[in-house]
């Protein structure tokens, strides 16, 4: 009986030890962002007209920074931006695409994304894009 208890204690200790061998933070927060998303976008132009667009984006992990993802086809432009993930939220730091700058922030809610992007276009000023999407 004493041998059975000792073996049981060793088994429990081994299982607990292996569980603590994971990266300790519950995994990679970027995993929930990876994939294809259908985006519905809206913005109000400098002329006051509301414009809407629907398109797909893809999100992959950055190979350069362990907290970053790469969002491809941002604003339906075929361009890519880097975003830094922090749990269920993310930041798109100021970046230049073609001849305009973009920055933004957003959050993930289950399989949905909600984010806004401020685009600064030379000759047009600033446009604010509101984007909502769901994972496909």
């Amino acid at each position: 009986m004493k041998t059975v208890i000792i073996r049981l204690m060793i088994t429990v200790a081994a299982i607990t030890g292996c569980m603590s061998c994971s990266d300790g933070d519950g995994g990679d927060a970027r995993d929930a962002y990876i994939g294809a998303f259908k985006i519905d976008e809206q913005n109000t132009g400098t002329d006051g007209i509301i414009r809407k667009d629907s398109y797909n984006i893809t999100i992959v992990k950055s190979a350069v920074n362990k907290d970053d993802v790469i969002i491809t086809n941002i604003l339906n432009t075929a361009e890519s931006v880097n975003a830094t993930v922090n749990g269920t939220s993310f930041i798109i730091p100021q970046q230049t695409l073609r001849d305009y700058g973009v920055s933004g922030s957003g959050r993930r809610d289950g399989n949905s994304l909600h984010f806004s992007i401020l685009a600064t276009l030379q000759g047009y000023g600033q446009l604010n894009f509101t984007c909502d999407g769901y994972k496909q």
Side-chain angles (χ1 to χ4, degrees), residues 91-95 101-105 116-120 128:
I91 300 287
I92 300 170
Q94 181 66 40
Q95 297 166 57
V102 296
S103 62
S105 63
S116 61
I117 296 181
L118 180 64
T120 304
N128 191 12

Side-chain angles (χ1 to χ4, degrees), residues 69-123:
V69 294
I70 300 168
I71 304 171
T72 302
N73 198 31
I74 198 74
L75 301 178
N76 205 17
T77 63
E79 297 284 333
S80 296
V81 294
N82 290 323
T84 302
V85 172
N86 184 5
T88 58
S89 64
F90 62 96
I91 300 287
I92 300 170
Q94 181 66 40
Q95 297 166 57
T96 301
L97 305 176
R98 299 182 192 167
D99 58 346
Y100 55 93
V102 296
S103 62
S105 63
R107 63 184 169 80
R108 177 186 53 79
D109 182 15
N111 285 330
S112 298
L113 285 180
H114 311 281
F115 58 97
S116 61
I117 296 181
L118 180 64
T120 304
L121 296 99
Q122 194 170 8

Side-chain angles (χ1 to χ4, degrees), residues 28-101:
D28 190 334
R30 300 176 298 170
D31 289 342
Y33 291 88
I34 305 308
F37 291 81
K38 174 72 173 172
I39 301 296
D40 293 318
E41 169 196 290
Q42 179 175 316
N43 79 329
T44 303
T46 55
D47 55 6
I49 296 174
I50 296 173
R51 292 175 176 80
K52 296 181 180 185
D53 196 4
S54 293
Y55 52 90
N56 295 317
I57 63 170
T58 57
I59 302 177
V60 297
K61 291 181 184 180
S62 169
V64 177
N65 187 325
K66 68 177 183 67
D67 296 324
D68 285 3
V69 294
I70 300 168
I71 304 171
T72 302
N73 198 31
I74 198 74
L75 301 178
N76 205 17
T77 63
E79 297 284 333
S80 296
V81 294
N82 290 323
T84 302
V85 172
N86 184 5
T88 58
S89 64
F90 62 96
I91 300 287
I92 300 170
Q94 181 66 40
Q95 297 166 57
T96 301
L97 305 176
R98 299 182 192 167
D99 58 346
Y100 55 93

